[in-house]
Amino acid sequence: MTNAGTDFPKLDQTRIAARDGGEAVMTFGLGLSLVLRGGETAAKRAASLDVAESYALWGGDRVTRYLRRNASARSKLGAGGVRAAYEAQLAATDAAKDNWTPVLLGPEEVSNIGFFAMLKNAQSATRYPNSTVFARFPAATARTEPDALIALVIDWCNRLKPMHGTLGLAPMFELGMERFHPAVLWPYLSRLVGLDYTWTYTMALGHAPRIKGVNWLTILEDALVDDLGGKVALAASLGDQATIITWDGGILIRAGTEPQIGDRNMGQWPEAYVAVNRALRPIRFEEYPDKKFALIDVPPPFDALDETLKWVRRFDRPGDGD
């Protein structure tokens, strides 16, 4: 799996086991993560249901399951789809004290199909104000229907008004199992520099108006663009390495025609990613506390804080600035 001529369908079919002869625990795909404010509001929760429904419509017969509230076993989506599965539950949710967590899944446990939202309740939002929305797509989508994929992301941005987000090639585990296989994850994440990883930023205490980093698609609200000097200045700093697409409240930066996987060992660095990183570095979050749930889980003898910061800074180059 290298930069040149990445075989996206083969990447979609890849399954990695925790040990020889064991069950698969990891695959690859396109991972979208959006960070947004106001998850405790009725408007954002209604918008998240609209977004979940559009994901199910996009996925068709690939999206077949959902999770009921406080359930661990998957339920089948019926003829009424997402609305029938979640509309009554949303109406009964107390936004003052209940998180809102719609989850859509495919038939496989280890899969690049899935949607998950964690919209905070009003009590927890006073301390951790930002909510998150994640979605998975097969890697081949970036080559077979990139314009439709980007149009879907733009539509979600218009509805959810995120603060920031990314979409790129990413390792994927069974829902909730990301932290349990560092020995499987870390060799790929540390070597294949184009891979994205969202879990660390989500769990970090610094839910600040700053970005985790960049990838093939990077989403910014207008306030963050203003922090960079505005759209004209940002476009100039990006040059011809990336294109800017506007949504109602922010922008989406597309770094190249399709996502790149990169390879540290082969000296393959996605130059478009490096250029976007250089332009957006002033608004990057780095204040990770030295606590387990705020860092990438790495196998011994690696230090989690050190390796997390190395990963966050992987696209930095000398002379890029402080």
Side-chain angles (χ1 to χ4, degrees):
M1 293 183 291
T2 60
N3 242 12
T6 301
D7 188 338
F8 289 135
K10 184 176 181 180
L11 197 60
D12 285 326
Q13 296 166 9
T14 299
R15 299 292 185 272
I16 309 297
R19 61 184 184 277
D20 290 343
E23 294 183 358
V25 297
M26 185 177 79
T27 186
F28 299 92
L30 293 171
L32 171 71
S33 65
L34 298 175
V35 178
L36 54 131
R37 303 181 189 88
E40 72 280 11
T41 65
K44 283 291 176 76
R45 292 179 176 221
S48 72
L49 186 58
D50 291 340
V51 167
E53 185 174 40
S54 71
Y55 180 82
L57 291 172
W58 167 83
D61 59 8
R62 294 174 292 188
V63 180
T64 59
R65 306 286 194 275
Y66 75 102
L67 283 183
R68 300 177 188 271
R69 182 174 174 80
N70 299 323
S72 57
R74 305 166 178 221
S75 298
K76 288 186 178 180
L77 279 173
V82 172
R83 292 285 164 183
Y86 279 117
E87 198 163 43
Q89 179 179 312
L90 177 58
T93 298
D94 183 349
K97 60 182 181 180
D98 295 329
N99 292 332
W100 167 238
T101 56
V103 180
L104 302 175
L105 302 157
E108 296 181 274
E109 290 187 347
V110 179
S111 172
N112 50 28
I113 292 292
F115 174 93
F116 171 72
M118 168 61 80
L119 275 66
K120 299 293 183 64
N121 64 63
Q123 291 178 352
S124 62
T126 58
R127 185 176 181 187
Y128 303 113
N130 298 331
S131 295
T132 49
V133 170
F134 302 102
R136 300 177 174 189
F137 306 87
T141 310
R143 184 169 291 163
T144 59
E145 46 180 323
D147 293 339
L149 175 63
I150 291 173
L152 185 67
V153 173
I154 291 292
D155 177 65
W156 291 8
C157 289
N158 287 332
R159 294 174 184 272
L160 294 170
K161 310 297 184 189
M163 184 163 53
H164 56 76
T166 55
L167 184 150
L169 294 170
M172 296 176 178
F173 295 81
E174 180 185 348
L175 185 66
M177 299 297 289
E178 290 85 352
R179 307 195 63 88
F180 292 93
H181 301 286
V184 176
L185 169 68
W186 187 239
Y188 291 91
L189 198 63
S190 61
R191 175 179 175 177
L192 303 179
V193 294
L195 291 180
D196 204 357
Y197 188 65
T198 59
W199 187 254
T200 297
Y201 184 88
T202 303
M203 295 303 294
L205 297 180
H207 281 307
R210 288 293 179 262
I211 66 172
K212 165 181 58 67
V214 306
N215 213 274
W216 179 50
L217 305 182
T218 304
I219 294 110
L220 303 176
E221 66 173 356
D222 283 336
L224 289 174
V225 178
D226 291 342
D227 287 346
L228 295 167
K231 292 177 185 176
V232 174
L234 178 56
S237 65
L238 291 172
D240 60 1
Q241 291 283 3
T243 56
I244 293 175
I245 303 169
T246 300
W247 52 272
D248 184 17
I251 64 170
L252 179 151
I253 302 171
R254 179 178 181 176
T257 304
E258 60 186 32
Q260 301 291 307
I261 201 165
D263 191 323
R264 187 188 301 272
N265 292 359
M266 299 294 291
Q268 296 176 341
W269 296 86
E271 288 305 317
Y273 293 18
V274 171
V276 176
N277 175 78
R278 182 183 302 117
L280 272 54
R281 185 174 172 182
I283 59 169
R284 187 172 69 200
F285 175 80
E286 293 196 9
E287 291 73 43
Y288 288 94
D290 193 2
K291 296 181 179 180
K292 179 178 177 59
F293 290 105
L295 303 172
I296 298 173
D297 286 293
V298 296
F302 296 105
D303 178 80
L305 178 59
D306 184 48
E307 296 302 326
T308 295
L309 290 173
K310 284 180 181 177
W311 183 81
V312 167
R313 298 165 179 162
R314 68 198 184 283
F315 296 129
D316 289 359
R317 294 295 178 270
D320 283 351
D322 296 330

